[in-house]
Amino acid sequence: MVQELLNFLRENYNIGLYLVTWVIAVYRYRRYFDTVMRFFPIFIMYTFLTELLGYFIKYNDNFQFFSGDSSWHNVIIYNLYSIVSFLFFFYIYWVVLKKEKNRKIVKYGAILSMLVYVTSTFFQDPFHINLYYADLVASLFLVYCIWIYFQEKKSEEDAPPLSKNLLFWVSLGLVIFHIPFPFIFLAAYEAPAFYSTNNLHQVLMGLIVVMYALFIIGFWVGQRKAFR
């Protein structure tokens, strides 16, 4: 049993990384418990459980939604995860942005992104394929939201160092991941030979590691007074 667990974690190291990040997030919770980031540990645990369930659905016959060949029948939980994930981060930036114009941009952009997800279900089966065009739109808009956030922080006077702000590190991780992420997904479906030849799956896994490493740095160095 122990060896099976070790093999599982070795092959799916990102799942273990989510759990480590969650432990650190909980340990440092008092540093951001009264900010909009207070729900972040719940989101990380949701990520961990989604990946765990996705693994068991794909490789264990006892965790199947459908009969027959079920190698991709875990896709629906990832489509749902994408929607929840983007809404969660759109909400964070909608709360922290101070200019009303910017808050409206986030609000209407979030609505547009969700409409793209709904529209995608008419052309793609969300139970059997990732809604990668919707992911592309939502990812690019999230990056734009982060750019707006950085612009606002840049214009602040007498602000605490960004390096002590948890959301700065989270934003940095999100940008590094979400700029290439939708295009890697697009290649997986539209150019599978290119995806395989260039080992883009490992590139994606590497981006996840970098993103969560930056989250961990944020939890570790972030200070309560610097979050504003």
Side-chain angles (χ1 to χ4, degrees):
M1 178 65 72
V2 175
Q3 188 59 45
E4 289 181 1
L5 178 60
L6 291 176
N7 291 338
F8 169 76
L9 292 177
R10 189 181 302 113
E11 295 171 3
N12 302 272
Y13 53 87
N14 60 309
I15 297 179
L17 180 60
Y18 300 146
L19 188 58
V20 170
T21 307
W22 177 80
V23 171
I24 296 173
V26 172
Y27 178 70
R28 292 289 187 176
Y29 190 66
R30 61 187 177 86
R31 296 193 176 195
Y32 60 92
F33 74 94
D34 56 349
T35 73
V36 69
M37 301 298 288
R38 61 186 177 275
F39 303 114
F40 204 25
I42 298 175
F43 172 77
I44 295 172
M45 179 52 65
Y46 171 53
T47 302
F48 170 76
L49 294 175
T50 297
E51 288 285 0
L52 200 61
L53 179 60
Y55 175 86
F56 284 120
I57 291 173
K58 187 173 182 178
Y59 294 107
N60 193 312
D61 291 337
N62 295 323
F63 291 85
Q64 301 298 340
F65 294 152
F66 308 96
S67 59
D69 181 14
S70 56
S71 60
W72 286 104
H73 285 163
N74 61 359
V75 172
I76 182 60
I77 67 171
Y78 291 110
N79 282 326
L80 291 174
Y81 173 81
S82 291
I83 293 172
V84 172
S85 175
F86 284 118
L87 285 175
F88 175 71
F89 287 114
F90 289 153
Y91 170 74
I92 286 176
Y93 291 105
W94 178 76
V95 170
V96 299
L97 289 173
K98 295 180 173 61
K99 296 181 180 179
E100 188 60 30
K101 179 185 70 173
N102 291 337
R103 286 166 56 88
K104 286 183 178 179
I105 290 174
V106 174
K107 176 182 176 181
Y108 293 124
I111 292 173
L112 175 62
S113 297
M114 294 306 108
L115 287 175
V116 174
Y117 273 105
V118 172
T119 303
S120 294
T121 62
F122 291 100
F123 305 97
Q124 299 172 298
D125 185 351
F127 287 93
H128 299 99
I129 189 172
N130 289 103
L131 304 178
Y132 49 90
Y133 288 116
D135 287 339
L136 173 63
V137 172
S139 287
L140 294 180
F141 180 67
L142 178 59
V143 171
Y144 181 66
C145 291
I146 295 170
W147 181 80
I148 294 174
Y149 168 71
F150 282 149
Q151 290 299 110
E152 281 202 3
K153 299 303 290 184
K154 183 179 179 181
S155 65
E156 285 185 359
E157 297 180 359
D158 300 323
L162 275 178
S163 61
K164 301 296 183 181
N165 187 333
L166 169 60
L167 187 53
F168 165 76
W169 292 101
V170 171
S171 299
L172 189 59
L174 291 172
V175 165
I176 290 173
F177 177 78
H178 279 281
I179 288 178
F181 155 72
F183 299 102
I184 292 175
F185 250 37
L186 192 64
Y189 287 96
E190 300 294 341
F194 177 83
Y195 179 87
S196 178
T197 302
N198 292 277
N199 205 12
L200 292 185
H201 176 72
Q202 289 304 316
V203 173
L204 185 63
M205 296 296 287
L207 290 170
I208 291 174
V209 170
V210 171
M211 178 172 63
Y212 273 81
L214 290 171
F215 289 175
I216 290 173
I217 292 173
F219 288 126
W220 202 258
V221 305
Q223 295 180 359
R224 185 181 174 194
K225 63 181 179 180
F227 191 100
R228 70 180 195 183

